[in-house]
Amino acid sequence: MKKDSNVKARIFKNNLLYVGVCVMSTLTAIPLFAILGEVLVKGWQQLGWSFLTEATPNAFKAMMAAQKGEPIPGGIANGIVGTLMMLLTAAVVAIPVGILCGICLSEFRKNWFAKTVSYITDLLQGTPSIIIGIIVYIWVVVPMKGYSGFAGSVALFIMMLPLIIRSTEETMKILPPSLKEAGLALGGNYWRVMLKVMLPASFGSIFTGILLAVSRVVGETAPLMFTALGGAVISYNLGRPMSAVPLMIWEFFNDPNLQDLIWGASLFLLTLVLCLNLLAKRIAKKWKI
Amino acid sequence: MQDKIFKALLIVSAIVIPVIGGGIIYSLTLDASGAFEHFGFWNFICSDDWVTTAGKEKYGALPFITGTMLTTGLALLICIPFSLPVALFTGEYFRGKKIATVLATVTDLLAGIPSIIYGLWGFYALRPIFMFLNLSPQGSGILTAAFVLAIMIVPYAASLSSEFIKMVPADLKEAAYGLGATRAEVIRRVIFPTAGSGIFSAYILAIGRALGETMTVTMLIGNTNQMPETLRTTGNTMASIIANQFGEADGLKLSSLIAIGLILFLITAIINLIGKIMIRRAQHV
Amino acid sequence: MENIVDPILEIKDVSISYDKNVTAVKNVSACVERNTITAIMGPSGCGKSTLLRAVNRMHELYKNITVTGEILLNGENILAKDPIEVRRNVGMVFQRPNPFPTMSIYDNVLAGYTLNGISLSKHKRDDLVEKCLRNVALWDEVKEVLNKRGTFLSGGQQQRLCIARSLALQPDILLMDEPTSALDPIATKHIEDLLVKLKKEVTILIVTHNMSQAMRISDRSMFMFLGELIEYDDTKRMFESPKDDRTRAYLTGQMG
C-alpha cells in the first residue's frame, strides 16, 4: 500500500475546519441573545398597562419626573395606534393586489411582460427603505401639503407589495399542474378554479408570506420619518401626522428627556416582530400540503 | 365573460408594479435634476463640499458615496468569516439535524430584528466596548457602523448560501469521498466550485442590503459631512445623510438629497439586478 | 370499424400538432359506441393521450397546439363549442389521483358544481354525494369521514374519489388517462371492476399502456402508432387475430 505522508496533515486540516465552522457558527448566534438580553433587562420594568395605554409625555413633564427621580409617566399608545392604523390600511390594499399580481406572474410565467414585472418586483424588494420614504414624500406629502398617516400607509404598502407578490408567485409555481387541470376538466370557470382550488391550496404559504411581510414593515422607521412624521397624541385620523412604534424609538433616542422610554418601546417592538416571525414559521410547517 | 374580467384584473394588478418602479425613477430624476443642473452631474458626484449657508450653498455627494462604499465593503469583509461557517453548518455538516434548524431559526430571527433596534444595541452596548478597546476615539464611526451592519447581513448571506450548498448533488460528493478525500477537501474541491456562483450571488444580494441600510448606520456612524480619512473616524453614508437632513431641507439642498437618493437607488438596483440574474442562473444549472 | 350502432362520439379526420411542425395525431377517424368501454393503446408518444385530451379540450391550456377536423359528441361538434360547456359533459380522470387538497371528501365530490357556480340544496347535495360515492364503491369506506380531507385517503381510494367527482356532473362520456398507472395491483383491480359496472351509466374512453388491462375491461380497442390509428376492432378479435403487423408486434411485446 502506498503511504501518504500528508495524511496526518490532511486529517488535521479537516478537523480544524470542523472546529472552526462550529466555533464561528456559535459566535454568530451571540448577537441575537445579546440584543434580546439587553432589551429585556432594560425594558421589562417599563412595560405595564399604562405604558401600553397612554400617549408620550411632553418633554417638560418627563424632565420634571426625571429631576424628582420618578419614572417617566406615559407610554407608547399613540405609536401602537398609529402602527396598527397604517399597517391595516396598507395591508388591506397590498394583500389583494399582491395576491392577484402573484397569480398573474405565475400563470403567465413564460410571457415577457410577466418576466419584466417579476424583475421589477425584485428591484422594488431590494430598494432601500429610505428611498421609499423620499418617493412617498414626493408623491403624497408634497401634493397633500402635509405629513399624514395616509402617506405612511402608502410607504408601507410599497414595502409590503413585493413581498406578498413573491410569496404568492413562488407558492403558485410549485403547485402541481394537475390540480388546475382537474378543476378545468370539471368544466370550472378559470377564475373559480383559481380562487377555489389554486388559492386555497397555497393559502398556508401565502399567509406565511403575509405575516413575514408584516413583520418586516412593522419595524421600519426610515420610510415613515418623512411621511407619517410622528405625533405625541393618540390619533385615529389618517389625514394628520401619525406616530408609530419604531418612529417613537427614534424620537426617544434623540430626546435626552425621554431616553428612559427607549427600552420599553424596543421590547414591545422586538417581541411583536419575533412572535410574528415564529408564528409564520409555525404556520409554514403546519400548513404544508 | 367573468373569466375575461378576472384576467383583466390580474393584468391590472400586475401593472401596478412597473408603474411604481417607473414612477420612482421618474420622480427621483425629476426632483434631482435641480441639483444636477446647478452643479453638473460629475461635479456633484466628485465634489466633497457640503456648505449649507444660504447664498453660498454647495453640495457634493463624494463623502457619502465613499462612506457607503467603506461601510458596505467593511461589513462584507467582517460578514464572510461568520456567514460562510453558518452556511456550512446548516447546509453540510449538520444538514437536516435538529441543531441546524435551531441555528437557522436563530439567524432568521436575527434577520427579523428591526434595524432601529440594531442601532440602539450598537449605540448603547457596542459603542462603549469600541471606545474601551480604543478601536475608535468616539466609539461611533465607520468601523462601528460596519460591524453592526455585518451582523445584520450575515443571515441573508448565510441562508441563501446554505440553499446552494444543499443543492450540490450527493453523487458528486460521494465520488470525491470514494477517492479518499476528507470532508474539508470535499468542501473545497467539490462544494465550493459547484455552489460557488450561487454563494457569490448570495453575497451580492447581501451587499445590496447593506448599501441601503439606514437607521442602524445613522445611529452609529457619527454623522459628519467630511471625507472619512480613516476607518476609525466618523462619516455619513448616502442613506444616513438623507435620514439626517431630509426633514428640514428645501430648495437646492432638498434636490441634492434627492439626487443622492437617486444615486443610491441606481447603485442598489444594479447590484440587486446582477445578484438576481446570477441567482436565477445558478438555480437552473 | 363497422357495426357501430349508436355512436356517442364521432372523431372525424382529426389531426393535432404542436408548434405547427410536430404532428402528434394524424388524420384519425373513429366512432365510439354508447355505453361501452373503449381502450386506446399504443407505445408511449403515439398520441393516444393527446387525442384523449382533445376530446375534453384540455389541449387549450397549452399554447401552440392546433386541432383540425371534427369531434362530434351526440352529433354536436365540441371543437366549435365553449370549452367550459364541453368539459361539463365530458368527464376526465387523470394518471395520478388529484383530489383537491383543501377540500373535504364531501366537497371534492361536489367540486364540479362549486367550480361551475351551481348551488344545490343541502338535501340534493347529500343525495348526490351518497349516490356518487356508492357508484364508485367508496361510500362504505368513507361515510364516517366525509369531512376529512381527500388527501388522507389511499391512492386507490383517491382515484375512486376523483371518478366520483367526475360522475357527479353526470357526464355523457368519461375520459380516463391511464387511471391506474400510479396504483398498486389491488387498487387497480378495484378500479377495473368499477369501470365494468359503470359502463351501464356512462361511456368510457380509456387510454392505457397496459395490454392486459385493455383485454380485461374493454369492449373495443384502438391501436395507435406514431400518431396514426392503425387498427380499431372488437377487443377480443384484435387480441386474437390482429390485422396489421404493427398491432401484432405490439401485442406480442416486440414493440415498446
Side-chain angles (χ1 to χ4, degrees):
Chain A
M1 207 171 150
K2 258 199 291 181
K3 219 174 164 186
D4 190 343
S5 57
N6 284 331
V7 153
K8 263 192 186 158
R10 287 172 59 206
I11 290 175
F12 176 73
K13 265 193 201 162
N14 185 42
N15 293 340
L16 194 69
L17 184 71
Y18 178 73
V19 173
V21 162
C22 291
V23 169
M24 293 310 268
S25 297
T26 318
L27 284 180
T28 311
I30 290 177
L32 178 71
F33 299 105
I35 293 172
L36 281 178
E38 176 107 5
V39 173
L40 208 61
V41 167
K42 291 188 178 170
W44 73 273
Q45 289 161 315
Q46 286 160 21
L47 275 195
W49 187 243
S50 66
F51 188 75
L52 299 177
T53 51
E54 283 173 28
T56 331
N58 61 37
F60 179 72
K61 269 191 195 161
M63 211 165 75
M64 295 305 287
Q67 275 175 2
K68 287 186 201 152
E70 290 168 3
I72 297 180
I76 54 167
N78 46 338
I80 299 177
V81 170
T83 292
L84 285 180
M85 297 269 301
M86 289 191 279
L87 210 56
L88 214 65
T89 319
V92 162
V93 189
I95 292 173
V97 173
I99 289 181
L100 284 175
C101 182
I103 294 178
C104 181
L105 296 192
S106 108
E107 279 299 295
F108 308 118
R109 61 191 87 163
K110 298 235 171 75
N111 185 286
W112 66 267
F113 172 70
K115 275 184 191 163
T116 319
V117 172
S118 188
Y119 269 113
I120 301 177
T121 309
D122 282 342
L123 217 93
L124 280 185
Q125 199 182 331
T127 301
S129 56
I130 189 99
I131 305 285
I132 310 278
I134 295 183
I135 211 71
V136 175
Y137 176 86
I138 297 174
W139 285 352
V140 183
V141 176
V142 173
M144 280 179 57
K145 299 199 174 61
Y147 301 102
S148 64
F150 173 70
S153 314
V154 174
L156 297 186
F157 163 76
I158 298 179
M159 301 225 49
M160 281 175 86
L161 193 59
L163 299 168
I164 296 175
I165 293 176
R166 255 297 99 78
S167 72
T168 310
E169 186 193 350
E170 299 297 326
T171 320
M172 298 284 270
K173 270 187 179 169
I174 53 171
L175 285 183
S178 69
L179 213 55
K180 190 168 126 196
E181 287 185 348
L184 290 174
L186 287 171
N189 294 84
Y190 179 75
W191 69 275
R192 283 212 182 85
V193 172
M194 279 296 152
L195 297 186
K196 296 210 164 150
V197 176
M198 301 296 273
L199 205 54
S202 46
F203 184 75
S205 6
I206 294 179
F207 191 63
T208 308
I210 291 174
L211 279 185
L212 285 177
V214 168
S215 83
R216 267 293 294 285
V217 300
V218 81
E220 280 294 347
T221 319
L224 296 181
M225 290 199 298
F226 335 126
T227 53
L229 189 69
V233 289
I234 299 176
S235 157
Y236 297 94
N237 185 354
L238 281 173
R240 313 263 317 136
M242 201 173 244
S243 197
V245 180
L247 265 184
M248 299 191 75
I249 300 176
W250 177 238
E251 281 163 24
F252 299 158
F253 178 75
N254 287 312
D255 188 336
N257 289 317
L258 295 173
Q259 268 175 6
D260 288 350
L261 291 173
I262 291 180
W263 299 102
S266 299
L267 180 57
F268 177 81
L269 185 63
L270 197 58
T271 318
L272 188 67
V273 169
L274 295 189
C275 286
L276 277 172
N277 259 298
L278 289 174
L279 186 69
K281 274 206 149 188
R282 257 269 152 85
I283 290 178
K285 223 176 186 178
K286 214 171 187 180
W287 285 46
K288 231 175 201 172
I289 293 166
Chain B
M1 187 56 206
Q2 287 165 324
D3 280 353
K4 274 192 185 143
I5 296 173
F6 182 68
K7 276 189 184 165
L9 210 61
L10 288 185
I11 290 171
V12 167
S13 61
I15 286 176
V16 170
I17 290 296
V19 166
I20 294 177
I24 290 179
I25 297 179
Y26 173 78
S27 295
L28 287 181
T29 317
L30 192 73
D31 285 30
S33 59
F36 288 141
E37 274 165 24
H38 194 271
F39 301 113
F41 181 73
W42 289 112
N43 246 335
F44 180 74
I45 287 182
C46 302
S47 150
D48 63 349
D49 293 318
W50 194 265
V51 187
T52 52
T53 330
K56 288 190 223 160
E57 285 177 295
K58 248 186 132 199
Y59 302 111
L62 191 63
F64 317 116
I65 298 179
T66 318
T68 300
M69 297 299 164
L70 283 178
T71 43
T72 306
L74 202 57
L76 185 69
L77 281 184
I78 304 172
C79 149
I80 290 176
F82 294 94
S83 55
L84 212 50
V86 171
L88 285 173
F89 190 97
T90 55
E92 169 68 19
Y93 279 103
F94 296 96
R95 175 183 184 177
K97 301 241 173 70
K98 189 130 203 202
I99 182 86
T101 325
V102 171
L103 187 64
T105 309
V106 166
T107 49
D108 279 357
L109 291 182
L110 269 178
I113 295 178
S115 69
I116 190 147
I117 291 181
Y118 272 110
L120 282 181
W121 177 70
F123 192 83
Y124 286 104
L126 276 186
R127 205 174 55 105
I129 300 177
F130 274 71
M131 271 157 80
F132 176 74
L133 294 175
N134 204 16
L135 283 171
S136 89
Q138 296 158 30
S140 44
I142 289 176
L143 187 66
T144 322
F147 188 80
V148 180
L149 209 49
I151 299 175
M152 294 176 73
I153 61 174
V154 161
Y156 292 97
S159 68
L160 208 53
S161 309
S162 166
E163 291 302 313
F164 285 104
I165 289 174
K166 281 181 200 163
M167 272 164 53
V168 174
D171 49 353
L172 275 186
K173 287 188 266 177
E174 279 164 15
Y177 282 124
L179 293 171
T182 63
R183 193 163 207 168
E185 285 156 355
V186 169
I187 288 171
R188 201 174 140 215
R189 304 275 174 205
V190 178
I191 292 181
F192 280 166
T194 322
S197 61
I199 295 176
F200 190 71
S201 61
Y203 282 97
I204 300 233
L205 288 185
I207 293 176
R209 289 218 72 83
L211 283 173
E213 190 44 62
T214 311
M215 298 318 291
T216 315
V217 176
T218 308
M219 292 161 95
L220 295 174
I221 201 165
N223 300 310
T224 47
N225 301 331
Q226 295 101 39
M227 280 296 279
E229 273 151 25
T230 65
L231 294 179
R232 300 171 65 213
T233 54
T234 54
N236 241 337
T237 65
M238 289 190 271
S240 72
I241 182 80
I242 299 173
N244 264 316
Q245 311 222 344
F246 194 84
E248 63 248 26
D250 53 10
L252 193 56
K253 188 172 170 193
L254 185 70
S255 175
S256 302
L257 287 172
I258 294 177
I260 293 174
L262 177 66
I263 298 169
L264 175 62
F265 175 76
L266 291 179
I267 295 176
T268 26
I270 292 168
I271 292 282
N272 277 323
L273 201 64
I274 295 174
K276 288 285 176 185
I277 290 174
M278 283 188 61
I279 280 212
R280 282 179 195 210
R281 285 223 179 122
Q283 276 167 344
H284 290 133
V285 170
Chain C
M1 94 168 254
E2 313 85 43
N3 69 44
I4 300 274
V5 188
D6 181 11
I8 186 170
L9 186 73
E10 294 165 73
I11 298 168
K12 290 186 176 169
D13 197 27
V14 166
S15 295
I16 304 172
S17 51
Y18 298 91
D19 296 331
K20 300 217 161 67
N21 41 26
V22 187
T23 308
V25 174
K26 292 172 200 155
N27 307 87
V28 170
S29 294
C31 292
V32 174
E33 171 83 15
R34 198 179 293 274
N35 290 32
T36 58
I37 299 180
T38 305
I40 311 180
M41 292 181 296
S44 34
C46 70
K48 52 190 194 301
S49 287
T50 313
L51 179 64
L52 190 78
R53 295 169 73 90
V55 179
N56 198 10
R57 303 272 297 266
M58 291 307 278
H59 62 273
E60 283 165 28
L61 299 185
Y62 308 96
K63 276 185 186 153
N64 308 324
I65 298 184
T66 41
V67 179
T68 59
E70 283 186 336
I71 301 177
L72 306 181
L73 180 69
N74 288 325
E76 287 182 81
N77 186 3
I78 61 157
L79 294 176
K81 287 170 79 176
D82 184 69
I84 288 173
E85 210 175 317
V86 172
R87 289 176 193 149
R88 220 171 285 179
N89 293 313
V90 180
M92 181 143 193
V93 176
F94 298 84
Q95 273 190 27
R96 297 198 151 270
N98 52 2
F100 297 123
T102 50
M103 295 186 190
S104 64
I105 295 174
Y106 186 90
D107 289 337
N108 254 296
V109 177
L110 295 171
Y113 290 90
T114 336
L115 293 177
N116 283 307
I118 303 167
S119 48
L120 303 171
S121 70
K122 169 90 175 113
H123 180 68
K124 262 192 171 171
R125 276 182 293 170
D126 288 347
D127 279 356
L128 191 66
V129 169
E130 179 170 349
K131 187 182 145 236
C132 294
L133 289 176
R134 277 194 195 284
N135 249 337
V136 297
L138 198 60
W139 175 253
D140 292 323
E141 292 163 54
V142 302
K143 64 183 173 197
E144 306 294 331
V145 290
L146 285 176
N147 288 320
K148 272 196 156 187
R149 287 185 181 187
T151 37
F152 286 110
L153 300 173
S154 74
Q157 288 175 321
Q158 285 188 18
Q159 194 62 302
R160 277 183 279 155
L161 178 61
C162 291
I163 296 173
R165 183 175 68 186
S166 298
L167 291 178
L169 283 168
Q170 284 149 337
D172 297 324
I173 184 165
L174 188 59
L175 309 175
M176 311 190 98
D177 191 355
E178 304 190 21
T180 59
S181 64
L183 303 181
D184 63 68
I186 294 170
T188 302
K189 174 86 173 45
H190 247 86
I191 302 258
E192 286 178 1
D193 294 348
L194 179 69
L195 295 186
V196 175
K197 254 190 278 168
L198 279 177
K199 74 175 175 184
K200 283 189 219 90
E201 298 186 20
V202 62
T203 313
I204 294 172
L205 187 59
I206 179 172
V207 160
T208 178
H209 58 208
N210 181 336
M211 278 175 274
S212 55
Q213 179 171 65
M215 196 161 64
R216 281 195 299 270
I217 63 171
S218 72
D219 305 292
R220 294 144 203 264
S221 293
M222 300 184 195
F223 172 67
M224 287 183 71
F225 185 61
L226 297 177
E228 285 176 66
L229 179 60
I230 306 295
E231 200 166 337
Y232 180 22
D233 211 334
D234 267 356
T235 303
K236 225 172 156 195
R237 200 177 315 149
M238 191 197 277
F239 275 84
E240 277 166 7
S241 54
K243 297 192 186 88
D244 196 283
D245 288 343
R246 289 167 290 187
T247 316
R248 180 174 300 114
Y250 180 74
L251 292 178
T252 51
Q254 289 160 25
M255 183 195 284

